[in-house]
């Protein structure tokens, strides 16, 4: 938008380190934290420790991948945590018909929420914050209504295996998150839909004038985000061994937005950094784990996370305004 | 945006223009009087259906329950009219309560001043970051949400300590005292809303709040100190959220650490239901009051039904929010500025 103004050479030089920090800072920070932990944290390199870290971060990664796409479309989805709870609440209701039908229904419920969100944003023209806020508020209520406000234990062995089992000592949930990251990365870079999504996020009016199916792209994006959130809800249920709609996905929208933003995806849309999002989620997890391992309390972790968010967005601002 | 393509043809006929004007007037009416109208309707329906609803005792209960959210939503109204958002209020509310309970061991004055100082500082810091660096309010206050909650955990030994207000403390009178059978928090909320309405409608600062929300660029060109107004507004929001927390601590006789989670969303919902536009530049204090009361009535009615799962409360609130915003958008298409 401001690209038309001539930029003095001096400000280019000043902006360069900031731009580097925005593009690669998150990877550098993850690498630095990993090195720090290898050097100073006991047992960090043991498989059990690494596995715990990755298992904890997997649902955040899955939800954040969808969030990255929505933020790339110049939107935001506050309902992902509630969608996780909804999926978790639906699961026990249909598990009598078998695991996969139940999972399918849970994902369909997610898709439905996503289509509602997308329609409110793309067709009705609501601000994404408001449209998805309504489902954040209502979605968890609905989940509690479905579940009768109760925690339900899961006995299905396949689902429990999905939550706790592993393949070649990599937990299934981590595998799923990794595969999804690759798939979403491909979708964003290598498909027509991905290109349309980035274009719509960059400039919606221009995309409409260029004849792109703006509404369909937006609805599809919110639907995809919600389906991913529902999957994260299913996996969280599997790992917990119980469907707990009052706890599953709590504040997940904030974790997901944080991962996306720290990963370098600008809130102004038009750019999606999939790998950065994964790194952003890892960074937040590692910060917390590192502090706790070194006997610093949770409170300091939260305050440092807040500082990281601000730093990431401050750097992104440098780029936008040059 | 795409309507521009169709208006030249339409304006050739007088009838559509008239329809447009009528629509505009209707939109204005709905925006200004929609929330009170729905509130009156909800109260009437509830009074007819539930004999226990229209009693003085019940009304007092709703008023007390609503007063804390109302004070938080008051600050949120100012923030939203400037075109911003404050996600930190829930955490700041909880932090204010814990600090008040902690400081109440030294008497009622520190119990009031310590939380206001800290919560005001958080609001001020957020305002400075938003106004001076151009970062999105959404993100800055999201960091504020985390930071304030972190501070709260630090103050309470990671949530392990619950500070109790001493039993004989005069501080308790604040939240538990009554006058003519109505609790002090209700009077305080009403007083603050009166002051808020005067501040918004009758002062230069209030006019500037509308101007900044309507168009920051135009406001800056008019010579308004846009940055200072933003800073003041977030400071106000932090102070009010902290004060609501203080009142709540006095009412509960303790600083409860787990309070306030999701409160920012209730406050935003109340403000939006009250007819304040989230794009900024338009809104009212009285609307917010109606929005808060409406949420309170919905909660109360669902409690009255008894057999209904209390989770329906958030379902109804969510539906309501969507309904109001969709109606606002459809009626107010003309009023919305493109981004």
């Amino acid at each position: 938008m401001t690209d038309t103004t001539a930029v003095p050479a001096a400000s280019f030089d000043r902006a360069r380190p900031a731009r580097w920090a925005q593009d690669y800072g998150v990877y550098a920070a993850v690498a630095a934290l990993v090195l720090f932990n290898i050097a100073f944290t006991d047992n960090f390199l043991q498989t059990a420790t690494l596995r715990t870290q990755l298992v904890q971060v997997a649902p955040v990664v899955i939800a954040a991948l969808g969030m990255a796409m929505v933020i790339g479309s110049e939107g935001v989805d506050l309902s992902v945590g509630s969608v996780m709870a909804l999926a978790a609440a639906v699961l026990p209701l249909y598990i009598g018909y078998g695991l996969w039908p139940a999972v399918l229904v849970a994902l369909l419920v997610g898709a439905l929420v996503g289509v509602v969100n997308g329609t409110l944003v793309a067709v009705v023209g609501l601000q994404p914050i408001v449209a998805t806020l309504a489902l954040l508020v209502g979605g968890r209520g609905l989940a509690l209504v479905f579940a009768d406000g109760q925690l339900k234990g899961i006995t299905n062995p396949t689902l429990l295996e999905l939550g706790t089992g592993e393949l070649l000592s990599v937990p299934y949930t981590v595998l799923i998150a990794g595969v999804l990251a690759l798939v979403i990365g491909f979708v964003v870079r290598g498909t027509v839909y991905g290109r349309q999504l980035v274009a719509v996020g960059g400039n919606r009016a221009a995309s409409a004038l260029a004849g792109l199916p703006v509404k369909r792209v937006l609805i599809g994006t919110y639907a995809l985000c919600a389906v991913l959130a529902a999957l994260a809800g299913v996996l969280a249920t599997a790992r917990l061994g119980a469907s707990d709609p009052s706890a599953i996905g709590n504040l997940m929208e904030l974790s997901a937005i944080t991962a996306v933003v720290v990963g370098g995806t600008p809130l102004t849309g038009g750019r999606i950094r999939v790998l950065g999002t994964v790194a952003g989620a890892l960074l937040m997890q590692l910060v917390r784990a590192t502090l706790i391992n070194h006997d610093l309390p949770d409170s300091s972790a939260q305050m440092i996370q807040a500082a990281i968010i601000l730093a990431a967005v401050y750097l992104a601002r440098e780029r936008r305004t040059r | 945006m795409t309507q521009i393509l169709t208006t030249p043809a339409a304006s050739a006929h007088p009838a559509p223009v008239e329809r447009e004007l009528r629509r505009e007037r209707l939109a204005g009416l709905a925006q200004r009087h929609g929330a009170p109208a729905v509130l009156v309707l909800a109260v009437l329906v509830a009074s007819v259906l539930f004999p226990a609803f229209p009693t003085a005792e019940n009304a007092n209960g709703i008023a007390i329950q609503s007063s804390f959210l109302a004070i938080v939503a008051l600050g949120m109204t100012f923030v939203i009219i400037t075109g911003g958002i404050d996600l930190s209020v829930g955490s700041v509310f909880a932090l204010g309560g814990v600090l008040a309970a902690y400081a109440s061991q030294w008497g009622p004055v520190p119990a009031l001043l310590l939380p206001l100082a800290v919560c005001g500082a958080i609001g001020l810091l957020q305002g400075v970051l938003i106004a001076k660096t151009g970062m999105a309010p959404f993100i800055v206050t999201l960091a504020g949400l985390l930071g304030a909650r972190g501070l709260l955990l630090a103050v309470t030994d990671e949530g392990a300590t619950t500070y109790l207000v001493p039993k004989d403390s005069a501080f308790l009178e604040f939240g538990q005292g009554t006058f003519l059978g109505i609790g002090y928090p209700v009077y305080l909320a009403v007083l603050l809303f009166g002051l808020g309405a005067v501040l918004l409608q009758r002062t230069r600062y209030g006019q500037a709040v509308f101007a900044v929300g309507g168009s920051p660029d135009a406001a800056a060109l008019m010579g308004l100190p846009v940055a200072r107004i933003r800073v003041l507004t977030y400071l106000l929001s932090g102070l009010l959220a902290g004060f609501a927390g203080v009142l709540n601590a006095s009412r509960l006789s303790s600083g409860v650490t787990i309070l306030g989670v999701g409160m920012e969303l209730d406050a935003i919902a109340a403000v939006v239901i009250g007819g304040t536009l989230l794009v900024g530049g338009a809104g009212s204090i009285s609307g917010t009051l109606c929005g808060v009361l409406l949420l309170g009535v919905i909660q109360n009615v669902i409690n009255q039904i008894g057999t209904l799962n209390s989770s329906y409360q958030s379902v109804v609130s969510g539906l309501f929010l969507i309904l109001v915003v969709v109606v606002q958008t459809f009626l107010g298409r003309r009023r919305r500025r493109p981004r």
Side-chain angles (χ1 to χ4, degrees), chain B residues 294-317:
Chain B
L294 200 52
L295 292 180
V297 169
I298 291 173
Q299 181 182 7
N300 190 263
V301 163
I302 283 165
N303 289 345
Q304 298 271 345
I305 296 172
T307 54
L308 256 186
N309 192 324
S310 66
S311 342
Y312 274 103
Q313 184 198 330
S314 48
V315 178
V316 176
S317 303

Side-chain angles (χ1 to χ4, degrees), chain A residues 74 120 124-127 130 133-134 136-138 141-142 144-145 254 267 297-299 302-303 306 309-310 313 317, chain B residues 129 133 135 138-139 142-143 146-147 149-150 153-154 158 265 268 278 311-312 314-315 318 322 325 329 333 336 339:
Chain A
E74 213 192 346
L120 288 171
V124 183
L126 297 188
Q127 274 180 301
V130 199
L133 172 64
L136 168 97
V137 176
L142 211 56
L144 288 166
V145 169
L254 298 182
L267 277 171
D298 218 22
S299 54
Q302 285 200 359
M303 287 189 267
I309 297 174
L310 288 177
V313 178
R317 176 206 72 108
Chain B
L129 283 174
T133 67
M135 289 196 266
F138 186 78
I139 288 296
L142 170 61
L146 287 173
R149 181 85 33 203
L153 285 176
E158 306 308 302
L265 302 170
I268 295 168
L278 260 173
S311 342
Y312 274 103
S314 48
V315 178
I322 273 298
V325 184
T329 311
R333 270 272 150 86
R336 273 180 72 233
R339 286 200 284 168

Side-chain angles (χ1 to χ4, degrees), chain B residues 28-43:
Chain B
L29 272 178
Q31 200 190 313
R32 276 193 303 277
H33 305 295
V38 175
L39 177 62
V40 169
L41 195 70
V43 168

Side-chain angles (χ1 to χ4, degrees), chain B:
Chain B
M1 273 172 274
T2 50
Q3 281 163 331
I4 296 164
L5 298 173
T6 58
T7 35
S11 61
H13 306 286
V17 172
E18 205 168 283
R19 200 185 307 150
E20 204 56 62
L21 272 175
R22 206 180 315 142
R23 194 169 148 178
E24 172 110 359
R25 223 171 294 138
L26 204 64
L29 272 178
Q31 200 190 313
R32 276 193 303 277
H33 305 295
V38 175
L39 177 62
V40 169
L41 195 70
V43 168
L44 284 179
V45 170
S47 306
V48 172
L49 291 181
F50 306 102
F53 181 83
T55 60
E57 195 184 341
N58 193 44
N60 201 7
I62 296 178
I64 281 271
Q65 283 303 321
S66 304
S67 54
F68 309 106
L69 178 63
I71 295 171
V72 174
L74 176 63
M76 184 72 83
T77 312
F78 279 87
V79 171
I80 290 181
I81 293 176
T82 64
I85 198 135
D86 189 350
L87 296 183
S88 71
V89 290
S91 296
V92 171
F93 172 82
L95 178 64
V98 166
L99 288 175
Y102 174 68
S104 67
Q105 55 181 316
W106 303 309
V109 176
L112 182 63
L113 291 187
L114 176 72
L116 284 186
V118 174
C119 297
I122 292 173
L124 185 71
L125 182 64
Q126 293 183 146
V128 169
L129 283 174
I130 290 163
K132 300 284 183 191
T133 67
M135 289 196 266
F138 186 78
I139 288 296
V140 172
T141 58
L142 170 61
L145 182 155
L146 287 173
R149 181 85 33 203
L151 205 54
L152 166 74
L153 285 176
V155 173
T156 58
D157 307 322
E158 306 308 302
T161 308
T162 304
Y163 295 109
L164 296 176
V165 180
K167 279 202 173 61
D168 52 350
S169 173
F171 174 62
L172 291 177
E173 186 67 8
F174 222 25
Q176 297 178 2
T178 56
F179 177 69
L180 301 176
I182 299 172
Y184 284 168
V186 180
Y187 291 108
L188 284 167
V190 169
L191 178 72
L192 286 171
F193 267 74
L195 290 175
V198 170
L199 188 63
L200 187 65
Q201 305 287 351
R202 295 277 178 268
T203 65
R204 207 173 273 198
Y205 164 73
Q207 283 183 322
V209 165
F210 280 111
V212 168
S215 166
D217 294 341
L221 285 174
M222 286 194 310
L224 289 174
V226 174
R228 198 189 315 154
I229 285 154
R230 286 219 172 104
V231 172
L232 277 177
T233 306
Y234 286 92
L235 169 65
L236 187 67
S237 176
L239 282 175
L240 285 170
F243 182 66
V246 172
L247 271 186
N248 200 43
S250 166
R251 172 140 191 95
L252 300 177
S253 311
S254 65
V256 183
T257 49
I258 53 164
L259 281 179
V261 176
M263 190 179 206
E264 59 281 350
L265 302 170
D266 285 339
I268 295 168
V271 171
V272 170
I273 288 174
T276 296
L277 296 186
L278 260 173
V279 285
S284 73
I285 300 295
S286 57
T288 296
L289 187 58
C290 293
V292 171
L293 288 176
L294 200 52
L295 292 180
V297 169
I298 291 173
Q299 181 182 7
N300 190 263
V301 163
I302 283 165
N303 289 345
Q304 298 271 345
I305 296 172
T307 54
L308 256 186
N309 192 324
S310 66
S311 342
Y312 274 103
Q313 184 198 330
S314 48
V315 178
V316 176
S317 303
L319 278 177
F320 222 86
L321 184 62
I322 273 298
L323 190 73
V324 169
V325 184
V326 168
V327 168
Q328 252 187 26
T329 311
F330 272 119
L331 285 175
R333 270 272 150 86
R334 295 272 145 201
R335 308 180 143 237
R336 273 180 72 233
R337 299 175 321 286
R339 286 200 284 168

Side-chain angles (χ1 to χ4, degrees), chain A residues 56-276:
Chain A
Q56 283 181 2
V57 86
V60 182
V61 167
I62 295 172
L65 287 170
M67 186 69 83
M69 300 179 72
V70 170
I71 289 181
S73 79
E74 213 192 346
V76 73
D77 186 351
L78 296 182
S79 70
V80 291
S82 293
V83 171
M84 283 177 71
L86 259 179
V90 165
L91 214 49
L93 299 181
Y94 292 91
I95 210 145
Y97 300 98
L99 175 63
W100 300 115
V103 170
L104 191 67
V105 172
L107 296 187
L108 278 177
V109 168
L112 188 68
V113 172
V115 167
V116 171
N117 281 335
T119 308
L120 288 171
V121 170
V123 181
V124 183
L126 297 188
Q127 274 180 301
I129 295 186
V130 199
T132 56
L133 172 64
L135 269 155
L136 168 97
V137 176
R140 191 167 295 273
L142 211 56
L144 288 166
V145 169
F146 278 154
D148 226 3
Q150 281 169 352
L151 182 145
K152 289 201 180 82
I154 296 285
T155 49
N156 186 302
T158 323
L159 187 59
L160 291 176
E161 173 67 15
L162 191 67
T164 54
E166 51 193 45
L167 184 72
L168 302 172
S169 79
V170 181
Y172 285 130
T173 45
V174 175
L175 262 171
I176 293 171
V179 169
L180 280 174
L182 291 177
V183 170
I184 298 293
F186 172 73
V187 166
V188 168
R189 278 173 180 252
T191 65
V192 175
Y193 158 75
R195 278 150 202 272
Q196 289 177 338
L197 169 60
V198 172
V200 168
N203 191 331
R204 203 163 142 185
S207 304
L209 287 173
L212 297 187
V214 171
K215 288 179 185 167
R216 212 167 57 204
V217 168
L218 283 176
I219 294 174
T221 304
Y222 282 91
L224 198 54
C225 177
V227 168
L228 286 171
L231 182 63
V234 169
L235 292 177
T237 309
R239 194 172 121 68
L240 205 64
S243 159
D244 184 359
S246 59
I248 283 179
N250 246 341
L251 296 183
M252 181 58 92
E253 58 282 349
L254 298 182
S255 304
I257 293 170
T258 303
V260 173
V261 168
V262 168
T265 301
L267 277 171
T268 41
R271 190 154 184 259
I272 301 169
R273 307 225 317 164
V274 175
L275 195 59

